[in-house]
Amino acid sequence: YQSSESAFLLRGNRADESAFGAPITLAGAAWAAGADPFGGDALDPTGGVATIPGNVRSALSNTEWTLEVLCKPTSTSANGNYIVDIGVSPFAGYVNVGVSLLSTGALAVLASLDGQSWVNVSSCSGGSVPNGFWSYLEVTRRGNTLIAAVNAVDVISYAVSGTFTPLSPGNIRLGGNPFSGHGNRSFLGLLGPMRFTQGLALRGTGGPLPVPTATFPAPATPLKGYRAA
């Protein structure tokens, strides 16, 4: 068992961007007032990307963790629709995790353990995220297995070979893929509340988390480098 520490990536209030330790930087993205499923502000990254400076990436390598996202796609493209990328470069010895939607609407999880070897996306994908509706996505690392659920139904369980290499802090990108050679493949739609939790206190060894009925509460223990709310 590991203690739980959380950080908001989005929390439904664009006026409170300092929850991340530094403001969110928008590049072509925009806020949509009152548009998330709980009446908070949503992020519209269409044609752009939002960047969060932070230390969440360093937490990917040394603990179990859970990433939760509420999203409302309007359409999917052949290039993929990147929801969140935690990491900067896939070729610099960094652990990276990306969550995206394929052109079929399936949820896909990308992961590089050592900055060189990538999870096979066709194997690490499943389920369906419908256009025009809010869906709750959960991605959990349990040991060396990546587990993902769509609206409280498990759709991915993928055993990753190798080890998660320790790394230094880095930025987080919302709504686009910044990796060189991949282009900025923007998510088409809205992104609502998003939370990263280090440790297995949320899912534990049980089944998928229930669909939230309210925006994520302030974490009792914030991830180091982040304030509580």
Side-chain angles (χ1 to χ4, degrees):
Y1 175 80
Q2 294 169 335
S3 62
S4 175
E5 298 179 348
S6 294
F8 296 114
L9 304 187
L10 288 174
R11 66 186 306 266
N13 184 356
R14 58 180 166 175
D16 191 17
E17 298 173 5
S18 60
F20 317 109
I24 297 176
T25 300
L26 301 184
W31 294 105
D36 85 13
F38 310 118
D41 298 326
L43 181 69
D44 181 357
T46 303
V49 66
T51 301
I52 302 172
N55 64 354
V56 168
R57 186 166 59 109
S58 63
L60 291 173
S61 60
N62 52 17
T63 67
E64 278 83 5
W65 44 261
T66 296
L67 175 68
E68 301 167 89
V69 180
L70 281 98
C71 70
K72 182 182 180 181
T74 56
S75 64
T76 52
S77 70
N79 286 333
N81 293 256
Y82 284 81
I83 297 170
V84 56
D85 275 306
I86 301 176
V88 176
S89 169
F91 306 112
Y94 296 148
V95 175
N96 301 281
V97 169
V99 178
S100 68
L101 302 183
L102 303 181
S103 59
T104 59
L107 174 66
V109 179
L110 289 76
S112 172
L113 306 186
D114 56 7
Q116 304 294 332
S117 304
W118 286 86
V119 161
N120 187 324
V121 177
S122 62
S123 300
C124 199
S125 62
S128 179
V129 181
N131 292 330
F133 299 92
W134 284 98
S135 291
Y136 172 60
L137 314 180
E138 173 214 334
V139 179
T140 291
R141 175 198 166 191
R142 180 187 291 161
N144 265 31
T145 300
L146 294 172
I147 306 167
V150 176
N151 293 322
V153 176
D154 281 338
V155 297
I156 296 171
S157 180
Y158 187 91
V160 179
S161 60
T163 59
F164 283 75
T165 304
L167 66 161
S168 58
N171 293 339
I172 303 145
R173 305 292 181 100
L174 307 180
N177 177 14
F179 294 155
S180 174
H182 288 248
N184 185 19
R185 301 172 181 177
S186 295
F187 178 79
L188 305 177
L190 297 176
L191 298 177
M194 192 179 301
R195 179 173 61 175
F196 178 89
T197 301
Q198 177 179 300
L200 278 178
L202 284 178
R203 182 177 178 121
T205 58
L209 298 172
V211 177
T213 58
T215 195
F216 300 130
T221 307
L223 195 66
K224 294 178 178 63
Y226 290 73
R227 64 185 183 81

